[in-house]
Amino acid sequence: MDWDSVAAEDVIEALREVEWSASPRSLAEFFSRFAFPRSFSKWMSRLKCNLYYYRTNYFILLIFVLGVALITRPLAILGAALTALSLAFLNDSFAATFNEKMIRTIRHFSPHLAAKMRPPHMPVIRGRSATRKTVYICGQPRLVFVLLGLTASLVLWFTSCGLLWVLYALTTALLMILLHASLRTPNLKARLNTFREEFRAVWRNYSEL
């Protein structure tokens, strides 16, 4: 995978659509082979590569730093959990899996309500859905759950008087992720195997347009 030719917007779109169910990389791999990039283009290529390859590790690192920083503030921890859940909804695979599990759970108690929570039928044009990127959760657009989760987390942070502390912890976690992604040299597996197969799966629909 030539990461110089991959735009930042493509990486963000890929992170939104790719499966996040893969296990995190081992600590031995995560904390090995660090070096300063030799140029700005090398740094950008490495940054995009590592953000995609170590996405699960970075998400766990973000949650860990927030958890440690807010360990004495239970309401703030709950707010951080809601924030993480809301951000996870931005990933198509996670949102679809969450939606299916919720509907299956509700079906045990109220099949009629579960039927109402099914996403609306989407019109099909030339064999392709006209609203392919629209994702529903429990019958509502995904954006509704994202906004509700973020609003509830802000209320919890204000209640716990930990908003500034949360922002400090979040900034620290993001800086740690940026530092690691900038210094961790991509390994051969990341360049030749995993990325090629995963990106083929992600962009298969675009190549068919």
Side-chain angles (χ1 to χ4, degrees):
M1 173 62 65
D2 183 11
W3 286 95
D4 290 331
S5 61
V6 178
E9 294 80 4
D10 295 335
V11 177
I12 295 174
E13 189 72 11
L15 290 175
R16 188 179 67 84
E17 296 186 0
V18 77
E19 294 283 347
W20 281 66
S21 57
S23 302
R25 310 296 172 179
S26 65
L27 292 179
E29 177 185 349
F30 190 63
F31 292 107
S32 64
R33 297 184 60 187
F34 292 95
F36 286 100
R38 290 172 293 181
S39 64
F40 179 78
S41 61
K42 292 290 185 182
W43 173 71
M44 287 298 298
S45 177
R46 179 185 299 183
L47 186 65
K48 290 180 286 188
C49 177
N50 287 332
L51 287 176
Y52 185 84
Y53 188 68
Y54 294 109
R55 57 186 181 272
T56 307
N57 297 71
Y58 291 147
F59 187 77
I60 293 175
L61 177 62
L62 177 65
I63 299 302
F64 176 77
V65 172
L66 288 175
V68 171
L70 305 174
I71 195 169
T72 59
R73 302 168 186 262
L75 288 179
I77 292 179
L78 182 59
L82 281 175
T83 301
L85 181 63
S86 301
L87 295 178
F89 282 147
L90 296 176
N91 178 258
D92 293 352
S93 176
F94 180 86
T97 302
F98 181 88
N99 177 60
E100 287 298 323
K101 290 184 177 180
M102 283 294 297
I103 291 179
R104 288 177 184 176
T105 302
I106 295 175
R107 187 185 298 135
H108 293 294
F109 305 97
S110 177
H112 181 68
L113 179 60
K116 288 185 176 181
M117 289 183 174
R118 287 291 179 183
H121 294 288
M122 301 178 184
V124 176
I125 301 177
R126 295 182 182 178
R128 194 175 294 274
S129 173
T131 55
R132 181 175 55 85
K133 292 186 178 181
T134 302
V135 178
Y136 289 85
I137 301 176
C138 297
Q140 299 297 322
R142 166 175 53 186
L143 184 59
V144 173
F145 281 81
V146 174
L147 293 178
L148 287 177
L150 292 177
T151 301
S153 62
L154 284 175
V155 171
L156 290 173
W157 289 344
F158 274 114
T159 304
S160 64
C161 300
L163 180 59
L164 292 179
W165 187 245
V166 168
L167 294 177
Y168 171 77
L170 182 61
T171 302
T172 301
L174 293 178
L175 287 176
M176 292 174 63
I177 292 173
L178 179 62
L179 183 63
H180 181 276
S182 300
L183 298 180
R184 176 64 171 92
T185 57
N187 53 35
L188 185 61
K189 180 181 178 181
R191 290 176 176 175
L192 300 180
N193 296 329
T194 305
F195 288 111
R196 179 178 56 192
E197 299 302 326
E198 291 183 350
F199 257 88
R200 281 179 179 175
V202 169
W203 301 119
R204 186 176 295 113
N205 291 333
Y206 293 94
S207 63
E208 295 175 354
L209 291 176

